[in-house]
Amino acid sequence: MLPITLLLAAAAAAFAPSVVARTPALVPPQGDGIATLAPDSDVRWVPFDLTPGNQIRFTLTLDARSLVAILDTGVSHSVLARKSAAADPARITDGGKATAIGGAVPIGWLPTARLSLGGLTRTGGGVTVADLPALATGSATPVDILVGRDIVAGQALDIDFANHRFRLLPSGQLPFAGALAPLSVSPTRRVYESSATIAGRRVAPLVLDTGDGAALTLSEPTWRAVRPNGLPTTTTISFGLAGAVTSTLAILPRLSIGERVAREVEVRVEPEGGFSEQIGVAGRIGSGFLQHYRVLLDPSAGRMVLQPGPDADVPPLRSTSGLLVGMEQGRLKVLHVMRDSPAAMTGWAAGDMICTIDGAAIPADYARSALADWSIAPPGTIVRLGLCGGALRSLTTRRFY
């Protein structure tokens, strides 16, 4: 795939490396290594930034190398990028496959000596090795490693989204008050899992997936069981390790996770036979939802704690144009045209290239500029988009889902 920076200002595509099911023959008996926490782990905060795909990006040290990482509780065993400087080809054992969003991906195994992350040190063990394309992790620049269940699940994980930091604590601590929800590590899938209530129905298991940039993702059978009558839907696109997936998109009026009731939650519905069905779960709760809270994840204590942030009850952004675009070499490339949208009604197609918006060229900092707001403009706004081939198209925004 081309190195495209996806722009998320208008309910655009989410990124979801998600669950990686290891091939057991590749992993030695002590594959998880031995993790220990420093006595002062409570003050060893790890700073992070959020990628364009809502993923928690930070640095750690692996075998004396500083690596760029993503915190991904939806990965059963941490994944090192094959192109990372830490991936020594001579020491990688290949031969397995893993289930990932978009299909299966080939994997290998690399033994490691020492990994350091905040107040945690892991000795021994190893990491899965796979291709980590930049697009699958939400940025134009690829990361080195996805930090998964094998490294963090033995501790409590305190994620302070408002201050862009997290820390690892001994299990059982309760550093702040909030709504309680169930949390465990699946003995078979070996990832964080929880549950929710939608339309009066309990939905479980749901993978609690900090590596997934969406808010809530459901399997098609689960959606059929809980979908509110008359709820309008459209389509969107998501990216996983194995490629792109087109999903149904809607705004769910109400969602309960444990004691927390959330309203107007964006939900994506996978195609029939999609990733969630393949691994036997109802869906995933992602960082698109979690980022509005301070979150404590403590599977050993059987709980998650959600403390609402100032924007926890703010409705999600909705596209009013129907064009999901990515930045490519100073232009905007249409990645997906949302079903029943203004763009779908006016002849747009994936692959179209946009060079101007209302006469203005696409700036290098487009994603952070006010110009990017055209795709979520108030209904009735007329936007004039200049194609790179010279044609000019007008699009009138409206609410369509």
Side-chain angles (χ1 to χ4, degrees), residues 178-186 191-197 202-209 256-260 285 290 295-306:
L180 297 177
L183 185 68
S184 62
V185 171
S186 162
V191 292
Y192 287 50
E193 292 183 353
S194 187
S195 61
T197 300
R202 183 175 181 269
V203 178
L206 291 172
V207 177
L208 200 289
D209 191 351
S256 297
I257 299 177
E259 298 173 343
R260 175 61 182 169
I285 301 168
L290 298 174
V295 181
L296 183 74
L297 304 179
D298 191 352
S300 296
R303 68 188 175 204
M304 167 170 55
V305 183
L306 298 170

Side-chain angles (χ1 to χ4, degrees), residues 130-399:
D131 289 331
L132 292 183
L135 192 57
T137 48
S139 179
T141 304
V143 299
D144 292 291
I145 187 170
L146 306 179
V147 173
R149 181 276 321 162
D150 56 309
I151 293 174
V152 298
Q155 295 76 38
L157 179 58
D158 179 3
I159 309 175
D160 182 0
F161 279 98
N163 293 299
H164 287 83
R165 61 181 188 170
F166 71 86
R167 60 180 173 173
L168 292 155
L169 303 170
S171 177
Q173 291 195 13
L174 197 60
F176 59 89
L180 297 177
L183 185 68
S184 62
V185 171
S186 162
T188 53
R189 289 172 289 270
R190 305 186 75 185
V191 292
Y192 287 50
E193 292 183 353
S194 187
S195 61
T197 300
I198 303 172
R201 294 174 178 262
R202 183 175 181 269
V203 178
L206 291 172
V207 177
L208 200 289
D209 191 351
T210 60
D212 188 339
L216 176 69
T217 302
L218 297 177
S219 70
E220 175 63 30
T222 300
W223 179 241
R224 288 199 302 266
V226 303
R227 178 182 176 178
N229 292 331
L231 189 69
T233 65
T234 182
T235 55
T236 188
I237 192 170
S238 302
F239 295 92
L241 293 186
V245 176
T246 299
S247 303
T248 297
L249 177 70
I251 304 297
L252 198 64
R254 177 186 169 102
L255 171 71
S256 297
I257 299 177
E259 298 173 343
R260 175 61 182 169
V261 176
R263 302 185 187 280
E264 293 197 70
V265 177
E266 185 179 274
V267 58
R268 294 164 187 260
V269 183
E270 296 172 330
E272 192 80 42
F275 176 72
S276 295
E277 280 189 79
Q278 292 176 33
I279 65 170
V281 300
R284 302 185 302 280
I285 301 168
S287 61
F289 177 84
L290 298 174
Q291 67 179 326
H292 303 298
Y293 299 83
R294 183 171 175 182
V295 181
L296 183 74
L297 304 179
D298 191 352
S300 296
R303 68 188 175 204
M304 167 170 55
V305 183
L306 298 170
Q307 183 184 76
D311 62 348
D313 295 315
V314 175
L317 293 175
R318 299 183 192 225
S319 173
T320 53
S321 64
L323 288 177
L324 304 184
V325 299
M327 186 79 172
E328 184 181 313
Q329 299 176 346
R331 302 177 295 175
L332 297 181
K333 180 177 182 177
V334 176
L335 301 179
H336 181 71
V337 180
M338 302 170 77
R339 186 183 63 217
D340 298 330
S341 68
M345 303 302 177
T346 51
W348 288 87
D352 287 344
M353 304 297 294
I354 300 170
C355 279
T356 64
I357 300 168
D358 288 333
I362 309 300
D365 64 344
Y366 171 81
R368 293 179 293 276
S369 72
L371 191 63
D373 290 343
W374 67 270
S375 60
I376 55 170
T381 303
I382 298 175
V383 184
R384 293 173 176 81
L385 302 171
L387 274 67
C388 297
L392 183 67
R393 293 183 186 173
S394 293
L395 185 151
T396 301
T397 60
R398 63 176 169 84
R399 185 161 170 164

